[in-house]
Amino acid sequence: MAQTAYDTDNIFAKILRGEIPSHRVYEDEAVVAFMDVMPQGPGHTLVVPKSPSRNLLDADPSTFGPLFTVVQKVARAVKQGFGADGVTIMQFNEPASGQTVYHLHVHVIPRFDGTPLKPHTGGMEKPEVLAQNAEKIRAALQS
Ligand code: 5GP
């Protein structure tokens, strides 16, 4: 079945264009990473390619090399920055899978032994907490 077209007004397209704010931790020519506003745990980060696609299913394969290079950088940074025991990587495609924002993105979530994930798109985190967490990740990316 054909996919729904890419919507240029989705929330991540607006974040990429700078029309709405985000706590950015990383940016290069192809990829941006910023804090998830409804984190499933402290340090939950989203890694987003600048090129428009709805999700993995319609993305150009050339997107994935640069995207997953940054996923690895951010995964290492959150593990270091939060002293995590592990890192969960998640990526959803279409509503049946749990996707709620229709611009391809990868979730990077620090994990701690014995601590379950909070629900997907649960409560909003305080901006000051997101800012502090973003700073930890920026510092780890630079070390
Ligand atoms: P999906 O369900 O599409 O895989 O994940 C979308 C993610 O985007 C969710 O984890 C949700 O918390 C997050 N999110 C939704 N709206 C915003 C927003 O305006 N800013 C940021 N930074 N994250 C958002």
Side-chain angles (χ1 to χ4, degrees), residues 10-27:
N10 75 76
I11 200 112
F12 292 170
K14 290 181 178 175
I15 287 174
L16 289 170
R17 291 196 293 267
E19 293 168 9
I20 62 170
S22 64
H23 297 274
R24 291 192 187 204
V25 297
Y26 178 90
E27 178 166 8

Side-chain angles (χ1 to χ4, degrees), residues 12-129:
F12 292 170
K14 290 181 178 175
I15 287 174
L16 289 170
R17 291 196 293 267
E19 293 168 9
I20 62 170
S22 64
H23 297 274
R24 291 192 187 204
V25 297
Y26 178 90
E27 178 166 8
D28 65 25
E29 62 285 355
V31 180
V32 171
F34 51 84
M35 306 313 294
D36 194 305
V37 290
M38 292 174 266
Q40 291 186 253
H44 183 167
T45 305
L46 300 168
V47 183
V48 182
K50 291 181 178 176
S51 58
S53 70
R54 193 174 151 83
N55 53 44
L56 173 143
L57 300 171
D58 62 331
D60 188 290
S62 65
T63 308
F64 300 128
L67 176 63
F68 275 84
T69 298
V70 179
V71 168
Q72 186 191 41
K73 280 186 209 294
V74 171
R76 287 173 170 169
V78 298
K79 187 166 183 298
Q80 184 187 320
F82 289 84
D85 301 307
V87 182
T88 292
I89 305 297
M90 296 195 295
Q91 192 278 317
F92 303 114
N93 301 282
E94 298 301 318
S97 75
Q99 187 177 8
T100 58
V101 177
Y102 297 97
H103 180 113
L104 174 61
H105 55 278
V106 178
H107 299 259
V108 179
I109 311 176
R111 299 301 303 274
F112 302 89
D113 289 336
T115 305
L117 283 182
K118 291 186 193 162
H120 185 51
T121 64
M124 291 279 283
E125 185 52 278
K126 297 184 196 74
E128 58 270 27
V129 172

